[in-house]
Amino acid sequence: MAQIIEARAVSKRFRQHRRFPGFLGALKTLVTAEYTEIEAVTDVSFAIAQGEAVGYLGPNGAGKSTMIKMMTGILVPSAGDLTVLGRVPHRERQANAREIGVVFGQRSQLWWDLPVRDSFELHREIYGIPRPRFDENLKSLSSLLDLEPFLERAVRQLSLGQRMRAEIVMALLHDPKILFLDEPTIGLDVVAKDAVRKFLSRVNRERGTTIILTTHDLQDIEEICPRLIMVDHSRLIFDGETAKLRTALGSARRLMLEFAADPGPLELKSARLTSDDGLRKHYLLERDDISLVHVLDEIGDTTALKDISIEEPNIEEVIRTFYQRRNAELPPR
Amino acid sequence: MLRTLRILPRLALMYLRSQLEYRGAFWIDRVAQVITYASSFAVIWILADRFGTIAGWNWSELALLFSFHLLGYSLGACMSFTQMRQLEEAVRLGTLDTLLTKPISPWAYMVFSGLNPGYTGHALLGIVMMGWALSIVAVPWSIGWVAYFLASLISAAMVTGAVLTMIGATALIWTRSNHLYSLFFGFWELSRYPINIFPTAIQATMLSFVPLGFMAAVPVAVLLGKPVPILGDWAGPAALLAGPFFVALAMWQWRYALDRYQGAGG
Ligand SMILES: Nc1ncnc2c1ncn2[C@@H]1O[C@H](COP(=O)(O)OP(=O)(O)O)[C@@H](O)[C@H]1O
Ligand SMILES: [Mg+2]
């Protein structure tokens, strides 16, 4: 498969100019060249093939948005080579823009006071989409996302979930080869998140649109992206199959069992006991192939059981485990 | 308790200031503009009435200068001022980022999605005043004169738009620019008087770094056959070339700044 995005040792440093307060300070800001540098992306390399769905995962401030902004031509890399569809994005920004779609979870591209359809029509003009193609895309995409009832409504009257669906539909109206999404599920409720995830995964499968999405929610990636790129503190720390992530990183799910009456110490083979408060017992599920069924099977008599919960490891935990692992593997010095 | 009492007015002041940054500032500017026009016009009228002429310009010539300035300004500013003043916010909120992902010039998008109807009023006032001034000024009417008049008016509008755009574009690098507009309006105030009333340092500034002399004083002096300091015989062509020159400079600066654009962070 042809690589449509290639990043070779890409870095981005931000210069933060020193600011002085007040009006005279503003003038002083202009004439002094004092600044500090922030490394937002350091030496990141990867290649993405046509048709892939890649999750770009990392905690806040890890450099996800910065990478998206470089791939979409908004920002110029400080070092390294970056090509998208054979172009250097910032040098051929408009040509690149025609072939990609971009959605920012935290900023709207729709006209706040106008009906959704008006923004779509403007989009059609800007991208020069032929009318029949536009009508066809609008129809199929909005029916997939149940957007039709909102098309004539002013954007400010939509819920966040409805608005995000409209943003995604708009970004797909011109049949982009790649769809970039920066935190598309941020702030959405469970139902809206689910709708967005299902839709994106369908767009990827049925339309063959390459998807790159950033998130700090592991679940987004597990449901949409077979491949995962993980970054932390500006550096790439993992690039591989999402399904293998937990095994690769060995981060365990947490299991909590709550009993009506204390059954006494309860050691299990399928899960490791980590704390025991009598009625409440906490375990770690360290193996991926172990499910709740195995656990219940092992307990046998579940009549005293009042509640069960399984918690996925959150991103911070995954990364912490990753580091512990890597440090343990480092040769002693 | 005392501490809280001290913080409250401070908070109120900060809130007031943050409000004035945005919507409030717009209306205050509009009101201020009307008052400024009225009062500066009154000052010119009083001075001219009292002394007969100001630096060799009589009352009707000053009226032509004033209306030329007003019309050129509104043509240039409607393409730049309110839009470029929003650039600072567009950088801070990331709306500029979204514009940069579209196959369109972000400058064009901003300017045309923000064309301000508020300037129609200015322009009409300028046209009416200009018609009246032209009817009372001794004008050497000819096709060449009219052509020069229109061309230099367009050039004046271009100078205005270019300078306002260059100020706004500094937000692409420094994320702030709006404080610089007050500097612009300081010189803008001066630029509707004959340029020879100012000390040489100010004259030189207004014909170079802050080229607002080309907004009215230079072209109208040429049109009325009055001497222009520093430029002398070059004043005629300079007034016509100033517009294209500063527009080209603004376009270059815009590209330069976009290449160094970093967003506002986060
Ligand atoms: N325009 C900017 N100026 C200065 N620092 C920035 C700018 N943009 C981002 N940063 C910094 O770069 C780092 C990475 O930011 P970002 O890419 O937005 O992270 P993420 O999207 O993963 O949360 C952060 O430390 C952030 O504060
Ligand atoms: Mg981000």
Side-chain angles (χ1 to χ4, degrees):
Chain A
M1 264 192 293
Q3 305 296 336
I4 57 174
I5 302 182
E6 285 182 271
R8 276 173 243 96
V10 171
S11 296
K12 178 70 190 176
R13 282 181 297 276
F14 286 111
R15 280 185 174 189
Q16 216 151 30
H17 289 270
R18 171 129 186 249
R19 282 239 185 90
F20 303 91
F23 179 76
L24 285 177
L27 290 180
K28 200 172 164 194
T29 305
L30 297 185
V31 294
T32 49
E34 280 178 60
Y35 58 83
T36 47
E37 285 205 332
I38 297 166
E39 285 258 350
V41 171
T42 309
D43 215 11
V44 168
S45 303
F46 56 81
I48 291 169
Q50 174 115 44
E52 280 199 85
V54 180
Y56 208 84
L57 181 79
N60 270 330
K64 305 181 296 294
S65 299
T66 304
M67 194 66 216
I68 292 273
K69 287 180 193 170
M70 288 192 281
M71 291 189 283
T72 52
I74 299 169
L75 296 179
V76 183
S78 314
D81 291 315
L82 179 66
T83 53
V84 173
L85 296 159
R87 300 187 186 92
V88 176
H90 73 89
R91 237 177 263 152
E92 294 179 73
R93 191 180 58 74
Q94 293 199 25
N96 187 43
R98 262 174 221 292
E99 301 199 309
I100 62 172
V102 188
V103 175
F104 291 101
Q106 277 158 312
R107 46 204 66 146
S108 178
Q109 309 198 43
L110 301 163
W111 286 59
W112 195 243
D113 294 311
L114 301 179
V116 177
R117 188 186 291 277
D118 292 20
S119 296
F120 287 4
E121 287 291 340
L122 176 69
H123 190 89
R124 187 181 77 78
E125 298 282 346
I126 291 176
Y127 287 80
I129 311 167
R131 174 62 75 182
R133 186 84 204 117
F134 174 82
D135 288 342
E136 199 183 309
N137 275 345
L138 180 56
K139 203 165 153 232
S140 66
L141 293 168
S142 33
S143 76
L144 265 177
L145 267 178
D146 290 327
L147 204 65
E148 276 141 345
F150 314 115
L151 284 178
E152 314 303 332
R153 227 183 270 173
V155 174
R156 71 181 129 77
Q157 296 167 342
L158 303 186
S159 71
L160 183 59
Q162 291 162 347
R163 210 194 72 209
M164 191 47 60
R165 276 140 66 188
E167 305 269 359
I168 297 174
V169 166
M170 183 158 94
L172 287 168
L173 285 173
H174 57 287
D175 293 311
K177 295 200 174 93
I178 312 173
L179 179 61
F180 293 96
L181 304 109
D182 192 11
E183 311 246 7
T185 58
I186 201 161
L188 299 187
D189 61 43
V190 186
V191 181
K193 268 188 187 174
D194 190 54
V196 166
R197 286 169 181 157
K198 289 219 166 68
F199 176 72
L200 289 176
S201 132
R202 221 170 137 173
V203 164
N204 175 244
R205 270 181 288 117
E206 290 173 11
R207 302 184 146 232
T209 310
T210 307
I211 289 185
I212 321 284
L213 78 90
T214 75
T215 182
H216 54 258
D217 186 339
L218 200 51
Q219 213 179 335
D220 282 349
I221 290 175
E222 285 181 323
E223 287 183 27
I224 308 165
C225 310
R227 176 173 163 199
L228 167 71
I229 291 176
M230 201 156 80
V231 286
D232 186 37
H233 289 105
S234 82
R235 290 175 188 278
L236 189 147
I237 59 173
F238 177 87
D239 180 355
E241 272 179 59
T242 307
K244 288 191 183 148
L245 172 74
R246 209 175 288 118
T247 11
L249 301 186
S251 48
R253 289 166 294 168
R254 274 188 301 214
L255 170 72
M256 191 274 295
L257 299 177
E258 192 178 345
F259 295 89
D262 188 358
L266 184 62
E267 297 279 353
L268 297 172
K269 277 203 292 290
S270 49
R272 184 162 64 83
L273 186 65
T274 53
S275 74
D276 190 343
D277 315 327
L279 291 178
R280 270 185 192 207
K281 301 181 195 305
H282 297 266
Y283 299 85
L284 278 181
L285 288 171
E286 283 167 329
R287 279 172 50 194
D288 254 2
D289 52 349
I290 298 285
S291 76
L292 207 52
V293 179
H294 296 97
V295 176
L296 294 181
D297 215 35
E298 208 188 330
I299 298 173
D301 177 18
T302 54
T303 42
L305 206 53
K306 212 172 113 194
D307 198 9
I308 304 176
S309 73
I310 289 195
E311 252 177 51
E312 295 291 320
N314 61 29
I315 165 93
E316 279 74 20
E317 258 177 281
V318 171
I319 288 169
R320 202 175 331 117
T321 328
F322 176 85
Y323 275 128
Q324 281 164 359
R325 259 245 177 147
R326 197 175 58 173
N327 291 342
E329 280 164 8
L330 286 177
R333 276 191 295 186
Chain B
M1 186 67 196
L2 251 165
R3 237 174 62 93
T4 322
L5 283 179
R6 270 212 322 272
I7 294 169
L8 282 178
R10 207 191 168 90
L11 276 177
L13 208 70
M14 284 173 75
Y15 180 71
L16 186 70
R17 269 183 24 226
S18 65
Q19 291 298 295
L20 288 178
E21 285 284 328
Y22 306 110
R23 212 166 297 253
F26 177 82
W27 292 111
I28 288 172
D29 278 1
R30 291 282 99 75
V31 173
Q33 252 165 10
V34 171
I35 294 170
T36 318
Y37 286 136
S39 57
S40 3
F41 201 55
V43 168
I44 293 174
W45 184 75
I46 290 164
L47 288 176
D49 189 54
R50 188 119 185 200
F51 299 107
T53 60
I54 298 175
W57 294 58
N58 68 31
W59 157 239
S60 53
E61 289 165 340
L62 289 169
L64 182 65
L65 177 63
F66 196 90
S67 61
F68 191 97
H69 184 268
L70 181 55
L71 193 55
Y73 171 73
S74 34
L75 290 178
C78 76
M79 296 286 290
S80 56
F81 180 50
T82 50
Q83 297 95 324
M84 289 303 133
R85 198 177 44 179
Q86 276 167 15
L87 194 56
E88 181 179 307
E89 204 187 25
V91 168
R92 194 165 46 78
L93 299 182
T95 26
L96 184 69
D97 290 355
T98 66
L99 293 188
L100 285 167
T101 67
K102 297 183 199 301
I104 188 173
S105 141
W107 175 83
Y109 189 102
M110 287 200 72
V111 166
F112 288 92
S113 66
L115 277 185
N116 196 320
Y119 284 105
T120 343
H122 289 58
L124 281 177
L125 183 66
I127 288 171
V128 170
M129 217 167 136
M130 187 175 273
W132 169 70
L134 283 174
S135 71
I136 53 172
V137 172
V139 168
W141 288 106
S142 73
I143 292 179
W145 191 90
V146 173
Y148 186 88
F149 183 93
L150 293 176
S152 59
L153 184 64
I154 291 169
S155 177
M158 287 167 85
V159 169
T160 308
V163 174
L164 287 169
T165 303
M166 285 193 274
I167 292 173
T170 59
L172 294 175
I173 296 180
W174 290 311
T175 70
R176 283 182 61 192
S177 61
N178 289 0
H179 51 287
L180 290 178
Y181 280 115
S182 51
L183 220 60
F184 171 90
F185 283 105
F187 280 98
W188 174 85
E189 202 89 32
L190 305 181
S191 63
R192 35 173 191 229
Y193 296 96
I195 197 164
N196 47 341
I197 68 170
F198 300 113
T200 314
I202 291 184
Q203 289 176 0
T205 309
M206 290 180 68
L207 295 174
S208 55
F209 304 113
V210 192
L212 302 194
F214 296 105
M215 279 180 72
V218 175
V220 177
V222 172
L223 283 163
L224 296 177
K226 294 184 184 297
V228 177
I230 303 175
L231 292 176
D233 286 347
W234 294 99
L240 291 187
L241 291 176
F245 174 79
F246 283 101
V247 164
L249 190 67
M251 286 167 70
W252 174 83
Q253 183 232 16
W254 180 267
R255 293 217 184 90
Y256 176 90
L258 260 193
D259 272 349
R260 275 148 195 80
Y261 172 65
Q262 322 194 103

